[in-house]
């Protein structure tokens, strides 16, 4: 997603939504306003983000928005190139046993499912089944059409689940799902911690509002910042930072961590592969990253106002991969690897797959090689995006992490 980032100055006013979309957004603001009133004038940002993204029928992911692709608000890796999914399939094939299944969470347009299943079909290694856990009814339909177009033999393996499976044996996949989970936002100042939430701003608008953080949140924030800033003690602005008069705003991805712990506990045997943008903790809470990682996307413009057209724009935060790794460890999983997306894809054979592409259609070949360059480039998705994997009862020799595993940095 950040590959499409543009400066905040490039705000999306010139691309205003249509009247019906604006009416839906106003209805969402009205409903959230009611919840704020009922709660005494304030709700946490995580609650706001939950409703803005997932309110039935009018939330960003549950409404009729196009969301993914050139006509939507952002482009994800499987939308850019089918070779992304081919590489993921190489890693899946190593982990899959004869009677195993793949469980994909938040499957978007269905592009990754099509790519992984097609590659596994070509390798004669199709899983017993491919389950998709999808919150949005309209996306389910879109996924079904995409998979059907790739072949009935693929579609007949796919099933859609409304809830988490009780027990998983096989591979769990989630591409850019953790970044779409609601976060709590805090401001730290001279050792005091405030939670940034949402209040009414007049009768039909919402805005930031903060209050002292509750005890558990304040303690968690202090623990995380202390741990992260210790790493920077020798850097300029590092050692004295904790006592300096400096506002520091950031997020805690509690829901993403809880999700990893829950799904991890249900992974009876197999591996979990997560691809997303973010950092290990000491980089996530770097002293200089003092305005956090919360970003919004509307029609390929990135900006930082989460209250603009609620329900019509994406809201996202980067992932603290150390927090994710700790959650997986609590669920009894072993860390199998942590690498930049570029290293992971290269280890899974992206360049060979690229070289094997047909050049009969030169336009398409040029488009694909450009997409591969974006997936790998450090200044685009190659370094900001990471692949992380955990497993239970699987060998510690994952193909995608063979050459540049950074587990020790978590
Ligand atoms: C940025 S999109 C990525 C879609 C797709 N994976 C891709 O790469 O194109 C995030 C997706 O995660 C889904 N999502 C968020 N939380 C989820 C959860 N707890 N379970 C399943 N899907 C979830 C959203 O509904 C949305 O479809």
């Amino acid at each position: 997603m950040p590959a499409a980032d543009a400066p905040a100055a490039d705000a999306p006013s010139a691309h205003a939504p249509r009247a019906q979309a604006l009416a839906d957004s106003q209805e969402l603001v009205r409903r959230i306003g009611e919840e704020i009133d009922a709660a005494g004038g304030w709700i946490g940002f995580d609650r706001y983000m939950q409703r803005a993204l997932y309110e039935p029928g009018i939330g960003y992911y549950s409404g009729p928005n196009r969301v993914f692709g050139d006509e939507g608000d952002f482009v994800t890796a499987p939308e850019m190139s089918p070779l992304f999914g081919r590489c993921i399939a190489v890693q899946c094939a190593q982990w899959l046993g004869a009677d195993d299944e793949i469980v994909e969470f938040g499957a978007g347009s269905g592009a990754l499912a099509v790519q992984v299943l097609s590659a596994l079909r070509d390798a004669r290694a199709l899983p017993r089944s491919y389950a998709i856990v999808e919150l949005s009814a309209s996306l389910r339909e879109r996924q079904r059409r995409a998979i059907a177009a790739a072949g009935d033999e693929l579609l007949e393996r796919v099933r859609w689940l409304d809830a988490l499976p009780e027990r998983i044996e096989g591979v769990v996949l989630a591409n850019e799902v953790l970044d779409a989970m609601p976060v709590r936002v805090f401001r730290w100042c001279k050792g005091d911690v405030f939670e940034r939430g949402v209040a009414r701003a007049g009768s039909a608008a919402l805005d930031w509002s903060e209050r002292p953080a509750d005890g558990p949140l304040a303690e968690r924030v202090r623990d995380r910042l202390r741990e992260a800033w210790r790493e920077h003690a020798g850097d300029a602005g590092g050692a004295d930072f904790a006592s300096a008069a400096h506002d520091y705003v950031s997020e805690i991805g509690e829901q993403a961590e809880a999700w990893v712990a829950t799904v991890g506990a249900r992974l009876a045997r197999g591996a979990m592969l997560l691809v997303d943008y973010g950092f290990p903790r000491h980089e996530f809470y770097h002293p200089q990253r003092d305005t956090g990682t919360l970003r919004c996307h509307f029609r390929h413009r990135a900006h930082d106002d989460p209250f603009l057209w609620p329900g019509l724009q994406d809201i996202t935060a980067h992932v603290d991969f150390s927090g994710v790794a700790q959650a997986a460890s609590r669920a009894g999983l072993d860390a199998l690897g942590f690498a930049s997306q570029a290293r992971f894809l290269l280890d899974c054979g992206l360049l060979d797959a690229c070289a094997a592409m047909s050049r009969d259609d030169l336009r398409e070949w040029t488009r694909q090689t450009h997409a591969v360059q974006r997936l790998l480039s450090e200044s685009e998705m190659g370094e900001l995006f990471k692949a992380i994997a955990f497993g239970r009862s699987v060998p510690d020799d994952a193909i995608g992490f063979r050459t540049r595993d950074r587990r020790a940095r978590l």
Side-chain angles (χ1 to χ4, degrees):
M1 230 184 283
D5 269 11
D10 200 9
S13 49
H15 305 262
R18 291 168 201 261
Q20 181 55 51
L22 281 173
D24 287 347
S25 179
Q26 279 157 10
E27 168 62 12
L28 184 56
V29 170
R30 192 191 63 74
R31 291 187 202 174
I32 295 174
E34 278 180 0
E35 180 174 342
I36 289 172
D37 294 343
W42 186 93
I43 57 171
F45 186 80
D46 52 342
R47 181 64 192 151
Y48 169 75
M49 187 167 165
Q50 175 72 36
R51 295 196 74 172
L53 295 184
Y54 303 108
E55 179 78 359
I58 52 176
Y60 180 69
Y61 284 113
S62 28
N65 307 310
R66 193 69 195 158
V67 178
F68 313 101
D70 292 341
E71 297 161 23
D73 302 308
F74 56 82
V75 180
T76 59
E79 302 292 329
M80 283 165 58
S81 169
L83 298 184
F84 178 80
R86 291 224 151 237
C87 291
I88 299 279
V90 167
Q91 182 57 81
C92 290
Q94 186 196 18
W95 284 328
L96 281 172
D99 204 29
D100 282 352
E101 86 172 333
I102 294 178
V103 182
E104 185 185 353
F105 287 83
S109 70
L112 182 61
V114 167
Q115 294 159 15
V116 168
L117 282 166
S118 304
L120 292 175
R121 173 183 56 194
D122 295 350
R124 296 181 184 283
L126 276 172
R128 174 174 56 81
S129 105
Y130 193 107
I132 295 179
V133 183
E134 178 56 65
L135 307 175
S136 152
S138 61
L139 284 179
R140 270 185 190 210
E141 195 37 48
R142 195 167 158 191
Q143 292 156 10
R144 185 185 301 281
R145 284 199 303 272
I147 297 164
D152 286 343
E153 72 283 19
L154 301 188
L155 186 61
E156 67 196 21
R157 303 225 173 208
V158 179
R159 59 194 184 109
W160 280 265
L161 305 177
D162 293 320
L164 290 182
E166 286 300 322
R167 180 184 167 85
I168 303 169
E169 291 191 28
V171 178
V172 170
L173 288 181
N175 183 62
E176 287 203 39
V177 174
L178 298 178
D179 72 78
M181 294 190 184
V183 291
R184 291 177 87 177
V185 180
F186 66 85
R187 181 172 67 87
W188 176 96
C189 184
K190 288 197 234 176
D192 291 327
V193 183
F194 302 87
E195 180 166 8
R196 306 198 80 202
V198 184
R200 282 188 183 274
S203 60
L206 305 171
D207 205 354
W208 289 109
S209 165
E210 64 178 38
R211 65 183 193 183
D214 61 35
L217 177 65
E219 198 177 316
R220 229 166 291 146
V221 167
R222 289 199 189 97
D223 285 351
R224 289 180 186 217
L225 295 187
R226 200 176 298 124
E227 179 190 334
W229 292 347
R230 204 182 299 130
E231 286 258 346
H232 302 283
D235 302 350
D240 298 331
F241 189 80
S243 57
H246 186 106
D247 276 340
Y248 189 90
V249 174
S250 192
E251 310 87 32
I252 288 200
E254 285 178 347
Q255 290 201 23
E257 292 169 21
W259 179 87
V260 169
T262 305
V263 176
R266 293 175 189 212
L267 183 64
R269 182 185 46 74
M272 175 190 284
L273 176 62
L274 312 171
V275 182
D276 225 308
Y277 41 92
F279 315 99
R281 179 158 299 160
H282 66 281
E283 285 179 46
F284 187 96
Y285 295 118
H286 191 288
Q288 286 165 6
R289 200 184 305 287
D290 57 6
T291 54
T293 70
L294 201 69
R295 299 295 274 161
C296 306
H297 294 90
F298 182 79
R299 309 264 164 91
H300 299 274
R301 304 286 196 284
H303 66 102
D304 56 12
D305 180 3
F307 306 112
L308 181 71
W309 303 323
L312 303 184
Q313 61 164 350
D314 188 28
I315 307 174
T316 166
H318 288 41
V319 176
D320 165 8
F321 284 107
S322 304
V324 164
Q326 286 162 1
S329 167
R330 280 199 299 280
L333 300 184
D334 303 316
L336 298 178
F338 177 55
S340 68
Q341 172 174 289
R343 271 329 309 178
F344 175 82
L345 294 176
L346 289 169
D347 280 356
C348 289
L350 180 61
L351 292 186
D352 289 341
C354 193
M357 267 182 337
S358 161
R359 296 185 190 207
D360 292 349
D361 180 345
L362 212 52
R363 259 177 101 97
E364 179 55 18
W365 182 84
T366 308
R367 211 177 65 81
Q368 282 303 323
T369 48
H370 179 62
V372 166
Q373 190 268 333
R374 288 181 69 192
L375 292 175
L376 295 179
S377 163
E378 275 192 16
S379 60
E380 299 228 27
M381 297 173 79
E383 177 56 34
L384 178 61
F385 283 67
K386 313 286 191 308
I388 194 166
F390 308 102
R392 194 188 307 280
S393 308
V394 290
D396 185 6
D397 62 351
I399 292 170
F401 304 97
R402 278 199 180 143
T403 62
R404 211 67 70 82
D405 184 7
R406 297 185 194 165
R407 261 177 288 184
R409 309 271 300 149
L410 286 167

